[in-house]
């Protein structure tokens, strides 16, 4: 006799570029919550490094590349394929996390769980959790969609701004979403009981509209791979001089000369951090960088980065 299993709860993590989604994901995966979690990552660009930014864990990471899952048909088909694959191995997982691209409208992502009978039966969309960057938040375009659909809103990086800024943001958020609790966080640390297993979509399967949408005008991505290691000093100096308001987001996995460990690069507009991570452990030591922004000059970026190679 076939044993019926409860649907797998799913949480969608969303938020604009650099809001802290991967930081929150790492926090969830390293906390003791008792869940066996599968993670689905959606990257906007030709190469996917988000799964490499996720700390080593027992969880399985599935990647969706070269297409925003909210609006590219093949990417949404891939999402359904991965969900079906997970449900075929239902005994291995009791929770699914979907981290969207920073450019994604989470509404069509949520709809994905309501258009396929197997997925509808096997999963339960638990909540959409939206992160808002307290320091750089611009509540327009995708950011509005992300806030409007949220069941929980994490006002992140609160340690970098004052109370007046936080109050201003909370008031702006409330004009877009009157019901979702707003939780103030630093480094995306939050009581997981407030974002996992909250059952926000129970009985709400018809509440999501099918409106069309478009990405922020002029947003583009440029991806680079380098096999030679970087000189850390030169790279740090170059990036600090090159970053501007047109470069909304920069992230990378770096090979540094003389260093046995990978280094993680994160930048939001003009704010940047390069920090050591785990050892390469036999992996190919190559650097991957992704720039997201407006009016990106690929040639200039490639020349600048190449000049920083050891």
């Amino acid at each position: 006799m076939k044993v019926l299993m409860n649907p797998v709860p799913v949480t969608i993590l969303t938020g604009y570029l650099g809001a802290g989604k991967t930081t929150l994901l790492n926090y969830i995966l390293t906390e003791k919550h008792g869940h066996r979690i599968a993670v689905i990552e959606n990257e906007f660009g030709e190469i996917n490094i988000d799964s490499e930014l996720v700390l080593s864990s027992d969880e399985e990471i599935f990647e969706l590349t070269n297409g925003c899952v909210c609006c590219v048909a093949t990417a949404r088909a891939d999402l359904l394929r991965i969900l079906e694959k997970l449900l075929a191995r239902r005994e291995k997982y009791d929770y699914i996390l979907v981290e969207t691209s920073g450019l994604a409208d989470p509404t069509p992502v949520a709809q994905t769980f309501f258009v396929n009978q197997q997925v509808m039966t096997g999963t339960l969309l638990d909540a959409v959790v939206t992160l808002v960057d307290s320091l750089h938040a611009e509540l327009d375009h995708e950011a509005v969609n992300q806030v409007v659909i949220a069941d929980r809103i994490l006002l992140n990086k609160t340690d970098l701004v004052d109370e007046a800024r936080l109050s201003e943001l909370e008031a702006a958020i409330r004009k877009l979403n009157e019901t979702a609790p707003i939780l103030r966080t630093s480094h995306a640390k939050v009581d997981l009981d407030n974002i996992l297993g909250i059952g926000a979509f129970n009985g709400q399967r018809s509440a999501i509209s099918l409106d069309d949408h478009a990405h922020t005008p002029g947003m583009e991505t440029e991806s680079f791979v380098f096999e030679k290691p970087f000189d850390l000093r030169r790279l740090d100096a170059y990036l600090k001089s090159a970053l501007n308001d047109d470069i909304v987001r920069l992230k990378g996995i770096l090979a540094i000369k003389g260093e046995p460990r990978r280094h993680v690069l994160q930048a939001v507009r003009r704010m940047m951090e390069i920090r050591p991570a785990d050892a390469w452990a036999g992996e190919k030591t190559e650097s991957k960088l992704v720039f997201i922004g407006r009016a990106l000059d690929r040639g200039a970026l490639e020349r600048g980065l190449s000049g920083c190679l050891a």
Side-chain angles (χ1 to χ4, degrees):
M1 183 177 68
K2 187 175 180 179
V3 178
L4 295 177
M5 306 186 77
N6 292 328
V8 184
V10 178
T11 293
I12 297 173
L13 302 181
T14 189
Y16 201 62
L17 301 167
K21 296 184 297 300
T22 301
T23 301
L24 175 59
L25 181 58
N26 279 328
Y27 177 68
I28 292 172
L29 295 183
T30 54
E31 282 293 288
K32 294 182 179 179
H33 44 60
H35 292 300
R36 296 169 300 161
I37 298 176
V39 178
I40 302 175
E41 295 255 352
N42 180 214
E43 176 72 342
F44 181 72
E46 296 173 359
I47 58 175
N48 188 359
I49 64 171
D50 276 354
S51 61
E52 295 184 59
L53 295 174
V54 177
L55 298 175
S56 299
S57 67
D58 293 331
E59 286 73 21
E60 190 161 357
I61 310 296
F62 295 84
E63 303 173 6
L64 297 171
T65 60
N66 200 25
C68 171
V69 73
C70 70
C71 56
V72 178
T74 54
R76 293 188 68 183
D78 284 347
L79 175 57
L80 282 171
R81 176 182 53 79
I82 290 174
L83 289 169
E84 290 170 354
K85 180 180 178 181
L86 285 173
L87 292 174
R89 302 157 60 193
R90 172 67 180 84
E91 71 282 358
K92 294 183 178 292
Y93 310 102
D94 54 32
Y95 216 99
I96 297 172
L97 292 174
V98 180
E99 181 192 352
T100 72
S101 157
L103 297 173
D105 176 354
T107 303
V109 182
Q111 291 170 345
T112 303
F113 294 89
F114 310 141
V115 298
N116 176 283
Q117 188 59 46
Q118 181 184 359
V119 172
M120 286 181 64
T121 303
T123 66
L124 175 66
L125 186 54
D126 187 64
V128 175
V129 176
T130 298
L131 287 95
V132 176
D133 182 339
S134 298
L135 189 61
H136 298 109
E138 296 175 1
L139 296 181
D140 55 10
H141 301 293
E142 274 71 35
V144 168
N145 297 325
Q146 293 163 356
V147 168
V148 167
I149 196 177
D151 305 294
R152 293 288 187 276
I153 297 169
L154 304 187
L155 194 53
N156 197 30
K157 305 183 185 180
T158 55
D159 55 315
L160 301 180
V161 297
D162 58 22
E163 180 61 33
R165 169 65 171 168
L166 293 174
S167 297
E168 175 188 359
L169 277 174
E170 288 178 345
I173 290 169
R174 274 289 165 253
K175 291 180 180 179
L176 299 171
N177 188 321
E178 298 180 355
T179 60
I182 301 174
L183 308 175
R184 295 184 178 187
T185 61
S186 175
H187 304 287
K189 292 185 177 179
V190 62
D191 184 346
L192 296 184
D193 287 340
N194 287 326
I195 62 172
L196 298 181
I198 61 177
F201 272 81
N202 289 349
Q204 297 183 25
R205 292 190 175 230
S206 62
I208 304 174
S209 69
L210 291 167
D211 294 337
D212 292 333
H213 73 289
H215 282 315
T216 306
M219 195 67 68
E220 58 190 72
T221 178
E222 294 292 350
S223 305
F224 301 90
V225 178
F226 295 94
E227 295 186 356
K228 291 183 178 180
F230 281 104
D231 178 285
L232 181 57
R233 181 185 59 80
R234 292 208 305 269
L235 180 64
D236 182 77
Y238 165 70
L239 290 176
K240 286 179 178 176
S241 67
L243 289 174
N244 56 52
D245 289 339
D246 285 334
I247 300 175
V248 177
R249 187 82 165 93
L250 165 61
K251 47 192 173 182
I253 301 294
L254 306 176
I256 302 297
K257 182 182 178 182
E259 285 283 347
R261 293 180 294 174
R262 304 185 307 164
H263 280 55
V264 172
L265 164 65
Q266 298 272 13
V268 180
R269 290 193 170 90
R270 298 177 186 272
M271 296 187 64
M272 185 190 75
E273 175 190 50
I274 300 176
R275 57 176 175 81
D278 53 344
W280 286 100
E283 301 172 54
K284 185 177 181 180
T285 54
E286 63 181 10
S287 299
K288 301 176 183 179
L289 300 93
V290 177
F291 292 78
I292 301 174
R294 299 177 178 88
L296 299 178
D297 186 335
R298 180 177 179 84
L301 291 172
E302 187 165 19
R303 289 190 296 272
L305 293 169
S306 296
C308 301
L309 296 173

